[in-house]
Amino acid sequence: MTAANDAIKLLFGVCLYHFYILQYFEEVPKHHSRFRMQQVSDKLHKVSLGKAGAQSSTVSVYLVTWNVGATGPPKDLVELLDLKAKQLPDIYGIGFQEMDPSDGDDKDNQWTSRLTDVLGQMNYVRIKVVRMQAISLQVFVRRPLLLNVTSIESEYSKAGMGGWWGNKGGVSVRFDVGGVNLIIVNTHLAAHMENMAERIEDFNTVLKTQRFRDPDVENILDHDYVFWMGDLNCRLEGISRDRAVELTQQNRLEELFKLDQLKQAQQEGLMLVDFQEGPLNFKPTYKFDKDTDVYDTSEKQRVPAWCDRILWRAHTDLDGLKVQQRKYFSPAYSRGDHKPVTATFLVNVFNEEAYPFVTFDVISKWKYGVDAKFHYSVRKGIEPDTSPWDWIALLPATFKHLDDYKIYVYGKNNAEDIKGGVTLEFSGNDLKVPPGKYQLGYISKHKNWLRGLSNEFEVVA
């Protein structure tokens, strides 16, 4: 009976495997190609990429993926964030898997609080954080780049228990910067050596279920740049734990890489098709005895593997789209049973100066407890239009995220149609904030992103 049961399970697994492969090839690319063709046409019209001499510049992106095994952050984050680099990145995208589910929510947890504090001191602002149970992704941007980053949006996809549970699946953050759009996807796929078919299923669930409100994109693959990372849980097949450890210690990593399930799936066109990955010049990042550098010595004797990966895809249908990977690395942390993986990229963008949707008149000085008026104007023809639920926040000049506001007022509906702009007021009863330097930020209710920022000014006693 055991052999018969095993045969039935194997047959079921093979059928499931091919079912999801067919779903992937029959449903995603067809839809994607139609929409992408229209997107390319619109973008060519907008930024005139077809003209000779179109200028471009680069934005640096630093990505982190780490299965933290329900542990909190280490005291020292310097190596994880490469804070001693000669030039820090423009954008950080930091993804975690297996966060402690009892540790707060998406924003109020040890990791998010610590990263926001550390990077805030380095002049970064957190523009988005999304969390689905134990899977989290947060994005930080250099303060001078804030108004260049627009149309910020997040999504999540549950893949555990047939889509009912969020222990597996993925979260994403997408945005526009410098005339291109970019998405970062952080996933945690099905575990165990024998479950490659389920990993492909989880991947396709994320790919097919995430939809976006931005008019330029509908799904993940519509983006100009796609970065896909996480604990993909792909293993090394056909090798024992001891032999894999031996080859790792001898630094014969190429021999191990030939056994990698993810690379095999890519070559067969089953998963992450057309995505690229840098050389795996670091040792397998899984599985270690907890909080050590020793590969699994438990009874299960799990085979070391590169479960934790960062890949990318750039569309080739637009001239000028290009990704350069500068670094692919596994920092030396002994926390949980995985090692973190980081990558640094330069991505081409088209030279678009920040041109805020909302412009504030210069503010000189406000006085504590005294009514304070301000004036702003709104550009026409930029979607979405203003809303009565948009809000103008009084932010400390060193704000680390938009929730740092002290007080706020709601904006005017259809302000773009008001000749001469809009004048609003903070009441003196509300303007009882600590003296210091502040800015006004115009925040869209549509996606809760910053669409205008005033000059720095003082509130005095």
Side-chain angles (χ1 to χ4, degrees), residues 18 33 35 153 182 206 228 267 279 333 373 377 380 435 457:
H18 285 285
S33 62
F35 190 84
E153 200 172 339
L182 182 153
V206 174
W228 197 295
Q267 290 169 352
Y333 287 87
K373 292 183 178 181
S377 55
K380 294 194 72 169
F457 60 93

Side-chain angles (χ1 to χ4, degrees), residues 63 71 80 89 99 106 179 199 220 234 241 256 271 278 281 286 321 326 330 338 347 369 371 387-388 409 416 450:
L63 300 180
T71 63
L80 183 70
M99 291 181 69
D106 55 345
R199 285 189 272 283
I220 290 173
C234 295
R241 180 263 183 201
L256 292 176
M271 179 179 176
N281 292 328
Y286 171 90
L321 294 183
R326 291 302 181 90
S330 180
H338 287 250
V347 300
D371 294 352
S387 156
V409 294
E416 58 274 11
L450 190 68

Side-chain angles (χ1 to χ4, degrees), residues 156-417:
Y156 66 89
S157 301
K158 298 178 181 180
M161 297 179 65
W164 287 96
W165 196 243
N167 64 320
K168 295 295 187 289
V171 297
S172 68
V173 174
R174 61 87 54 213
F175 50 88
D176 293 358
V177 57
V180 302
N181 49 58
L182 182 153
I183 186 168
I184 303 168
V185 186
N186 174 37
T187 51
H188 192 186
L189 308 184
H192 306 306
M193 173 77 75
E194 66 276 11
N195 287 338
M196 191 60 197
E198 283 81 356
R199 285 189 272 283
I200 294 172
E201 175 186 349
D202 291 351
F203 165 75
N204 285 316
T205 295
V206 174
L207 198 63
K208 293 190 294 182
T209 58
Q210 297 208 359
R211 293 290 181 266
F212 303 94
R213 292 177 291 168
D214 190 273
D216 281 348
V217 297
E218 285 188 352
N219 59 46
I220 290 173
L221 295 182
D222 283 333
H223 289 80
D224 297 321
Y225 296 112
V226 183
F227 292 95
W228 197 295
M229 64 183 184
D231 179 1
L232 307 188
N233 252 323
C234 295
R235 308 303 172 93
L236 300 181
E237 290 195 71
I239 191 170
S240 68
R241 180 263 183 201
D242 290 345
R243 180 57 176 162
V245 170
E246 181 183 7
L247 291 176
T248 298
Q249 292 171 341
Q250 296 171 358
N251 205 33
R252 293 161 63 183
L253 301 181
E254 287 188 8
E255 295 179 46
L256 292 176
F257 188 53
K258 295 175 183 177
L259 307 175
D260 176 58
Q261 287 180 333
L262 175 57
K263 194 54 62 177
Q264 292 172 2
Q266 283 187 289
Q267 290 169 352
E268 295 173 19
L270 306 179
M271 179 179 176
L272 287 164
V273 177
D274 296 330
F275 280 76
Q276 299 181 60
E277 183 180 21
L280 291 173
N281 292 328
F282 50 88
K283 295 178 180 179
T285 55
Y286 171 90
K287 172 182 170 92
F288 295 87
D289 291 344
K290 190 172 182 179
D291 300 339
T292 75
D293 295 322
V294 178
Y295 286 108
D296 185 22
T297 59
S298 71
E299 291 182 3
K300 295 183 178 179
Q301 294 281 293
R302 293 178 181 86
V303 177
W306 286 285
C307 288
D308 311 281
R309 312 286 275 271
I310 301 174
L311 299 93
W312 75 91
R313 167 178 167 156
H315 275 285
T316 58
D317 49 14
L318 282 174
D319 288 339
L321 294 183
K322 182 180 179 182
V323 175
Q324 304 171 59
Q325 186 177 61
R326 291 302 181 90
K327 194 174 183 180
Y328 196 24
F329 182 63
S330 180
Y333 287 87
S334 299
R335 209 166 188 82
D337 57 5
H338 287 250
K339 302 296 183 187
V341 172
T342 66
T344 307
F345 300 94
L346 287 180
V347 300
N348 278 25
V349 299
F350 302 104
N351 242 347
E352 288 191 352
E353 296 293 328
Y355 191 7
F357 176 68
V358 174
T359 304
F360 290 91
D361 287 1
V362 173
I363 301 170
S364 56
K365 188 179 293 185
W366 286 357
K367 191 168 182 179
Y368 176 93
V370 176
D371 294 352
K373 292 183 178 181
F374 62 93
H375 181 270
Y376 67 91
S377 55
V378 180
R379 292 166 60 197
K380 294 194 72 169
I382 306 296
E383 293 184 356
D385 292 339
T386 54
S387 156
W389 301 111
D390 293 351
W391 48 293
I392 297 96
L394 179 66
L395 296 157
T398 56
F399 68 95
K400 298 176 182 177
H401 49 79
L402 296 183
D403 292 331
D404 270 346
Y405 69 89
K406 298 298 182 182
I407 55 176
Y408 69 91
V409 294
Y410 286 111
K412 288 284 187 182
N413 193 31
N414 298 321
E416 58 274 11
D417 296 325

Side-chain angles (χ1 to χ4, degrees), residues 422-442:
V422 176
T423 298
L424 294 175
E425 181 179 80
F426 285 101
S427 74
N429 287 333
D430 291 331
L431 195 55
K432 294 179 179 180
V433 299
K437 292 185 177 181
Y438 290 88
Q439 289 178 281
L440 295 182
Y442 187 100

